[in-house]
Amino acid sequence: SLQAGDDPIGVTVLFTVAKMDAGPIVAQEEYSVGADEQATTVLPHLFHVGTDLLLGAMPDVLSGKVSMDSADQQDEDAVVNASMIDSAEGQLIVWRDSATVCHNKCRGFSMWPGTFIYLQVGDDDPESADADEPVRVKILKTRVVGEDEEGGGVVAPTNLIEMGPRKKDGLRIVCGDGSVLEVAQLQPATKKAMDAKSFVNGLRGQTVRWVKTPDPENEDDM
């Protein structure tokens, strides 16, 4: 739901049947999710909501007031299937997807499988044979730079990643449609998670660019 950018999301208590996510509905509650909330905080909250719903429904279920026949029946024609998530989906395809798509993926995958991007550090052309191997970096927290912000809106394409203009800004990535994704927290391989400023300080003036790799979600690119 977070990956899809859904709002509101919610919790359902239902009678279990042989089919997955089917069965008559006993209780439901919506939750208006913030644009930057991640699965790591949303899921525990929803567990608490679901627990309260379940405990509140138990007296009527045990008394027979609510039963398989009297509970609300689901409309199977309105069901939307969600395929299993593969770890390869965690790569942020910034040259193809918008900042919103990348941000929502980071939110939804914060527990598992996480999101990542390949970066080229240094002035060498990533396409050059002499260039160092790109490094895989975990992307932990992001946000979408608003159109009314400095450096926001539709920006000219570039693979160069730079800090935003204000002190509190993070690393800014220009995505395929010109929208801007800001990375607030990331984790290079073999290192601890760090904020964007600490990462840039460690570069010691070197440039950093995102590297286009074969799209893991498109077999034609493999």
Side-chain angles (χ1 to χ4, degrees):
S1 294
L2 295 180
Q3 182 191 7
D6 293 341
D7 183 32
I9 57 178
V11 181
T12 299
V13 175
L14 45 76
F15 286 104
T16 56
V17 294
K19 194 172 181 180
M20 178 67 73
D21 292 333
I25 296 171
V26 177
Q28 282 185 321
E29 184 170 323
E30 289 186 350
Y31 173 65
S32 182
V33 61
D36 296 329
E37 286 191 80
Q38 295 189 323
T40 45
T41 56
V42 172
L43 186 59
H45 173 74
L46 295 184
F47 269 120
H48 286 296
V49 173
T51 299
D52 290 342
L53 284 178
L54 178 62
L55 292 176
M58 286 303 294
D60 286 343
V61 173
L62 294 174
S63 69
K65 182 178 179 180
V66 176
S67 66
M68 291 279 286
D69 293 328
S70 64
D72 293 334
Q73 302 299 312
Q74 293 197 54
D75 180 5
E76 294 202 6
D77 291 336
V79 169
V80 178
N81 292 320
S83 58
M84 295 292 290
I85 296 172
D86 185 271
S87 58
E89 292 181 62
Q91 183 172 359
L92 299 182
I93 315 297
V94 296
W95 56 89
R96 184 197 67 192
D97 295 332
S98 68
T100 297
V101 168
C102 292
H103 174 59
N104 286 339
K105 182 181 283 190
C106 185
R107 296 168 62 215
F109 291 1
S110 64
M111 297 185 73
W112 187 89
T115 52
F116 63 92
I117 192 172
Y118 287 97
L119 300 180
Q120 183 77 44
V121 177
D123 295 327
D124 291 335
D125 182 348
E127 303 296 330
S128 170
D130 297 327
D132 291 335
E133 285 292 318
V135 293
R136 175 167 159 158
V137 176
K138 293 182 179 179
I139 303 299
L140 304 178
K141 288 185 179 180
T142 60
R143 75 177 186 94
V144 177
V145 179
E147 293 184 1
D148 58 341
E149 296 181 55
E150 184 179 355
V154 179
V155 178
T158 179
N159 63 353
L160 184 65
I161 302 174
E162 297 180 302
M163 293 291 288
R166 300 172 300 179
K167 286 186 178 180
K168 66 177 183 178
D169 290 340
L171 282 166
R172 292 191 171 181
I173 300 174
V174 180
C175 295
D177 62 349
S179 58
V180 181
L181 178 73
E182 185 171 280
V183 177
Q185 189 177 38
L186 64 167
Q187 184 177 7
T190 73
K191 295 184 179 180
K192 294 182 179 180
M194 62 185 69
D195 59 36
K197 185 177 180 179
S198 297
F199 176 75
V200 170
N201 288 341
L203 297 176
R204 298 183 178 181
Q206 297 181 95
T207 60
V208 59
R209 302 173 184 272
W210 56 256
V211 177
K212 184 175 182 179
T213 63
D215 189 339
E217 300 176 23
N218 187 342
E219 293 183 357
D220 293 337
D221 289 346
M222 301 298 285

